[in-house]
Amino acid sequence: MATKQTVLTKEGLKNLENELEHLKSVTRKEIAEKIKVALSFGDLSENSEYDEAKNEQGIVEARIAEIEATLKNVKILDADEISTEHISLGNKVILESLDDGKVLKISLVGSKEVDMKKMKISDESPLGKACIGKKLGEEIIVEAPSGIKKYVIKEIDK
């Protein structure tokens, strides 16, 4: 089975690399210390501190493996290749709701960079899928969990 290529912005790549470095250099050492302290308590059969530290270690190691796998199959978005003719990954888009006139400013990113607080929307989300390939002034219809939403594309930027 072919591994899916992950598309990231330069900022997204840097964030993942920084997270990986922190997990390997800081978090691993912290967990190793927790395990060492928990082992000093003796009997492991009733040692909740040890169990908790080992679980935390498993979660961190899984995250490290996930990031490393992502970085092996990454494609970086080149800002020069991002078009403003139609919406694609890497675009910043301003949408106006046809229902209530509210303006929505989103950035279209790959699934590994989603950040709802910063309105970084995945191309795999209902809104992201509806936007891909559309042009300035076009209407889009989004089948969202809250119901059908209609927008008009007001701006497409890099």
Side-chain angles (χ1 to χ4, degrees), residues 17-28 30:
E17 289 172 338
N18 289 343
E19 180 183 356
L20 181 62
E21 179 61 30
H22 186 267
L23 288 171
K24 285 182 165 184
S25 63
V26 177
T27 309
R28 269 184 175 164
E30 290 171 350

Side-chain angles (χ1 to χ4, degrees), residues 97 99-100 104 116 126-127 141-151:
S97 171
D99 301 322
D100 59 16
L104 190 62
M116 293 305 294
L127 180 58
I141 298 171
V142 181
E143 292 186 39
S146 60
I148 304 283
K149 305 286 184 192
K150 295 180 182 179
Y151 298 94

Side-chain angles (χ1 to χ4, degrees), residues 9-65:
T9 61
K10 287 181 182 177
E11 176 188 2
L13 175 65
K14 184 177 180 225
N15 290 341
L16 268 184
E17 289 172 338
N18 289 343
E19 180 183 356
L20 181 62
E21 179 61 30
H22 186 267
L23 288 171
K24 285 182 165 184
S25 63
V26 177
T27 309
R28 269 184 175 164
K29 289 177 184 170
E30 290 171 350
I31 293 171
E33 187 59 33
K34 287 180 186 178
I35 291 171
K36 182 178 172 185
V37 169
L39 284 172
S40 71
F41 296 150
D43 185 10
L44 294 182
S45 64
E46 295 180 18
N47 190 330
S48 64
E49 289 86 359
Y50 177 78
D51 290 340
E52 186 177 315
K54 288 300 281 184
N55 286 337
E56 188 178 350
Q57 182 182 43
I59 292 167
V60 167
E61 292 303 323
R63 180 64 182 150
I64 288 171

